[in-house]
Amino acid sequence: NRSMWKLMILNVLTLGVYSIIFFIPLSFDLDKVSPRRDGEKTMNYLLAYILAFFTFSIVIDIWHYQIAKRVDEVLSERDIDYNFGTGDFWKWFILGSLIFVGPFVYFHKLCKAMNLICEDYNQKAD
């Protein structure tokens, strides 16, 4: 059960370290619950986090774009009625950062989408 508020509060309290603890399992969970069998793996967030120091955080933006794309694909493959995808990435994570609240909306939508996906996975795995 992922929460945007928990992510934001603990990320501030740990000076950014909690984002690593939050997003590494998210990418592993996304690989696990994806019904596709093409062998595609999500880029490890720790690698993206390290590369961000050399790329002015562009790698983090690319990672989030790929996550949004992959979550959108999984939502449609599992027939989950929730609107989340690359449009939300551009609208909230990138452009919304100009009004400060955009990334909060993006992370809330991402957490909700992942919670719905994992709930569907757990129900159908039984």
Side-chain angles (χ1 to χ4, degrees), residues 48-100:
Y49 191 83
I50 292 169
L51 291 175
F53 292 108
F54 305 106
T55 63
F56 304 104
S57 296
I58 293 172
V59 173
I60 297 294
D61 294 341
I62 293 168
W63 187 88
H64 279 289
Y65 176 82
Q66 291 173 341
I67 287 293
K69 180 180 173 193
R70 189 106 190 257
V71 167
D72 183 33
E73 291 169 355
V74 173
L75 285 169
S76 65
E77 287 170 356
R78 291 191 165 274
D79 294 324
I80 298 171
D81 187 27
Y82 185 71
N83 187 18
F84 180 81
T86 56
D88 293 299
F89 166 79
W90 290 110
K91 182 173 37 180
W92 294 114
F93 192 76
I94 299 296
L95 295 176
S97 64
L98 298 173
I99 59 171
F100 183 70

Side-chain angles (χ1 to χ4, degrees), residues 8-69:
M8 293 300 141
I9 292 168
L10 290 178
N11 202 36
V12 169
L13 292 176
T14 62
L15 304 176
V17 174
Y18 185 73
S19 66
I20 298 169
I21 296 167
F22 182 86
F23 286 118
I24 288 175
L26 184 135
S27 61
F28 290 142
D29 288 348
L30 191 55
D31 288 339
K32 184 177 181 179
V33 300
S34 177
R36 288 188 295 167
R37 303 294 180 237
D38 62 2
E40 186 175 322
K41 298 281 184 193
T42 306
M43 179 184 193
N44 190 314
Y45 185 77
L46 183 58
L47 176 62
Y49 191 83
I50 292 169
L51 291 175
F53 292 108
F54 305 106
T55 63
F56 304 104
S57 296
I58 293 172
V59 173
I60 297 294
D61 294 341
I62 293 168
W63 187 88
H64 279 289
Y65 176 82
Q66 291 173 341
I67 287 293
K69 180 180 173 193

